[in-house]
């Protein structure tokens, strides 16, 4: 896509319910994804979907219980890619190509690994969107599972990557395994992004890089993104939506949050801690973990009836006269 086209897109107003951090360059490639639609967060049963965050949750009309990265998260990808223009990048897990499109529009040469790409209709859909956006020539779509396929491609093409985005299988030990192989195959000057850090399983990947000496930081977005970097590179600075009270899960308490401020949730815990401190020997970290887990479970049980009602309604057979 030409710079002129990108500038035209930048002046468009974002849809209501979307947010993009101040200071970011913006693009809006929605027209290249004809099946994109506003999703209903109650269509997903995933425990770590942050349904209380009011940002739009986009899905593909053909599979409405799986979400894309949010508008804000997509712009973290795009603005990060702008810093790596012309360099090799890797994405693990592309779903319908929404995140890959934002990365490619940022100017990187992108390898994408996803087992779903072995399905013809899925591959054609992703390919068509990338062609419409004018970036397919800069994206190599590779069917397969990580971390095995990552290592295979690296050996086949003698490849290392400067920018890596991990958004594949979210169940342990997959995120950690993806991180281990990516850390080995990253350039000396490299940056690795994570999506869905709201899940402790995904958090294991960022923990690993932190222990290996990488610089790390968290972005407060709908699903929480993480970034690790080393060498002569820097992450983008992100300002969270000031209209939202941003809770931080206990597994991320040791991380610096870009643009962070004291949240109402932290203030509430401080009140509870003051009340229970005389009656327990548990550490503050352990108490906060219990508090956060109890709150998350409460919210999930609160949402569950609505999720079940909608699932039943969606699968209810249509009566014909």
């Amino acid at each position: 896509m030409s710079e002129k086209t990108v500038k035209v897109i930048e002046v468009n107003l974002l849809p209501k319910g979307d947010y993009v951090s101040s200071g970011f360059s913006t693009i809006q490639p929605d027209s290249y994804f004809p099946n994109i639609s506003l999703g209903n967060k109650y269509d997903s049963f995933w425990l770590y979907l942050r349904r209380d965050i009011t940002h739009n949750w986009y899905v593909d009309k053909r599979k409405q219980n799986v979400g894309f990265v949010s508008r804000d998260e997509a712009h973290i990808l795009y603005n990060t890619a702008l810093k790596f223009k012309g360099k090799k990048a890797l994405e693990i897990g592309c779903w319908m190509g929404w995140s890959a499109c934002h990365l490619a529009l940022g100017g990187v040469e992108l390898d994408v690994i996803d087992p779903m790409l072995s399905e013809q209709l899925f591959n054609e859909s992703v390919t068509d969107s990338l062609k419409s956006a004018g970036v397919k020539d800069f994206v190599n779509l590779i069917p397969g599972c990580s971390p095995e396929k990552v290592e295979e491609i690296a050996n086949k093409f003698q490849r290392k990557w400067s920018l890596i985005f991990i958004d594949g299988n979210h169940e342990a030990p997959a995120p950690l395994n993806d991180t281990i192989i990516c850390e080995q195959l990253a350039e000396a000057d490299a940056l690795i992004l994570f999506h869905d850090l709201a899940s402790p399983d995904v958090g294991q990947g960022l923990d690993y890089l932190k222990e290996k000496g990488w610089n790390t930081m968290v972005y407060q977005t709908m699903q929480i993104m993480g970034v690790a970097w080393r060498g002569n590179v820097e992450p983008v600075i992100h300002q969270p939506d000031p209209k939202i009270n941003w809770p931080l899960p206990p597994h991320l308490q040791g991380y610096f949050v870009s643009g962070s401020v004291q949240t109402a949730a932290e203030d509430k815990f401080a009140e509870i801690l003051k009340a229970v401190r005389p009656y327990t020997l548990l550490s503050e970290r352990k108490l906060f973990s219990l508090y956060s887990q109890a709150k998350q479970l409460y919210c999930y049980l609160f949402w569950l009836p609505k999720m079940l009602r909608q699932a039943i309604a969606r699968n209810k057979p249509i009566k014909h006269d």
Side-chain angles (χ1 to χ4, degrees), residues 99-201:
S99 53
C101 185
H102 282 81
L103 286 166
L105 285 170
V108 296
E109 297 179 13
L110 183 63
D111 293 314
V112 177
I113 294 175
D114 193 313
M116 291 292 290
L117 290 169
S118 62
E119 298 186 11
Q120 183 178 356
L121 292 179
F122 182 89
N123 195 308
E124 289 177 352
S125 180
V126 174
T127 299
D128 289 345
S129 291
L130 296 177
K131 283 183 177 179
S132 297
V135 296
K136 178 58 183 72
D137 289 344
F138 307 101
V139 181
N140 181 25
L141 298 176
I142 306 165
C145 295
S146 61
E148 296 82 8
K149 185 60 70 170
V150 175
E151 187 171 18
E152 177 185 325
I153 295 302
N155 291 334
K156 182 177 180 180
F157 297 105
Q158 294 300 296
R159 182 92 85 226
K160 284 197 171 185
W161 294 277
S162 298
L163 174 61
I164 298 171
F165 178 43
I166 298 177
D167 191 22
N169 185 343
H170 291 350
E171 304 298 322
L176 177 58
N177 290 339
D178 288 345
T179 305
I180 291 172
I181 191 64
C182 287
E183 197 266 344
Q184 296 171 5
L185 297 171
E187 294 281 8
D189 299 322
L191 184 146
I192 300 177
L193 287 163
F194 296 84
H195 185 239
D196 283 316
L197 213 64
S199 165
D201 289 354

Side-chain angles (χ1 to χ4, degrees), residues 74-95:
H75 278 80
I76 289 175
L77 296 177
Y78 172 65
N79 281 267
T80 300
L82 288 174
K83 289 175 169 282
F84 291 84
K85 189 173 183 179
K87 295 186 179 297
K88 301 292 185 183
L90 169 68
E91 179 180 38
I92 297 177
C94 73
W95 189 222

